[in-house]
Amino acid sequence: MKKIMYLGLILTFAAFASTSFAQDAMKSNNKMSGKNSADSKFMMMAATGGKNEISLSEQVLSKSSNEDIKKYAQTMIDDHTKAGDELKEVAMSKNVILPTEPDAKHKAAAAKMSLMSGDTLDKEYIKMMVKDHEKTVAMFQKEINSGKGADAKAFAEKTLPAIQGHLEMARSMMNGMTNGKMKDGMKSGM
């Protein structure tokens, strides 16, 4: 019981600190970026999304015993790290300060997932990957369609196909889990 209360206090503090940091960074970015504040917001949200995916994937990579899940998690780490590095260059050229850690929601999810194992962990991870990538695809598509900054739009156009691929992989894995087997036909016991 004490551990749960302690974890709750930590998560509450992390949520407050993360929200405060994001708000301060966004205010600062909006002042610096002038009329391209929507592009600044896109860059900040894309960076946070990448940090979210990397954080959850690192945790799952170290805990899962399912090779398909581990391969997917490693792909997320590699692809989001590469995209994050590219986004840093764009952001630096526009004086946009990007977040350097996951958001409060994903920190809480990571804490929750740290208590999970086996199929429960794998299912929760893939469910989150589908949900997060659906939102990310929509966000990148919006930037492509209505973004003002050429650099941010170009980043979104270049990165969107990989994000769509991540979403399709996650959906396929989730469908395999729902049907009691992984995509390669191996039984997952779910």
Side-chain angles (χ1 to χ4, degrees):
M1 184 66 174
K2 286 183 180 180
K3 286 183 181 179
I4 292 172
M5 289 175 57
Y6 180 68
L7 182 60
L9 287 172
I10 290 173
L11 292 175
T12 301
F13 175 75
F16 174 76
S18 180
T19 301
S20 177
F21 171 78
Q23 289 171 344
D24 290 347
M26 202 172 261
K27 286 177 189 173
S28 175
N29 280 333
N30 286 338
K31 288 178 186 173
M32 285 189 274
S33 62
K35 60 185 171 187
N36 289 335
S37 64
D39 292 323
S40 297
K41 184 177 178 182
F42 162 75
M43 287 186 269
M44 292 179 65
M45 290 171 60
T48 300
K51 296 297 181 187
N52 294 341
E53 305 307 330
I54 291 168
S55 173
L56 294 175
S57 296
E58 286 174 339
Q59 185 176 68
V60 168
L61 186 63
S62 69
K63 290 187 72 175
S64 180
S65 59
N66 183 307
E67 287 304 314
D68 289 330
I69 298 291
K70 291 173 100 168
K71 286 178 189 173
Y72 180 81
Q74 188 62 58
T75 298
M76 294 303 97
I77 294 166
D78 295 345
D79 289 357
H80 284 283
T81 299
K82 181 182 175 192
D85 291 343
E86 292 173 9
L87 182 58
K88 281 180 200 172
E89 290 180 27
V90 174
M92 284 176 42
S93 73
K94 304 297 179 194
N95 294 321
V96 175
I97 302 168
L98 298 177
T100 58
E101 57 185 43
D103 63 23
K105 175 183 169 189
H106 285 81
K107 285 180 183 180
K112 178 181 167 187
M113 288 172 60
S114 73
L115 304 173
M116 297 177 185
S117 62
D119 294 344
T120 304
L121 172 67
D122 295 343
K123 283 182 181 180
E124 183 67 21
Y125 171 67
I126 291 300
K127 184 174 110 180
M128 288 189 73
M129 292 298 103
V130 169
K131 186 177 178 181
D132 286 353
H133 282 89
E134 286 173 343
K135 289 178 182 176
T136 303
V137 165
M139 177 181 67
F140 273 63
Q141 194 62 59
K142 180 179 177 185
E143 177 64 22
I144 291 167
N145 293 336
S146 60
K148 303 295 183 216
D151 292 346
K153 272 180 99 160
F155 170 78
E157 288 170 345
K158 178 181 179 188
T159 309
L160 181 59
I163 297 167
Q164 291 169 323
H166 297 164
L167 175 58
E168 290 310 310
M169 285 189 286
R171 283 179 175 161
S172 176
M173 293 178 84
M174 183 162 32
N175 289 337
M177 290 175 169
T178 303
N179 295 327
K181 58 187 177 201
M182 293 304 294
K183 66 178 178 168
D184 65 359
M186 295 176 16
K187 289 284 183 189
S188 68
M190 291 182 230

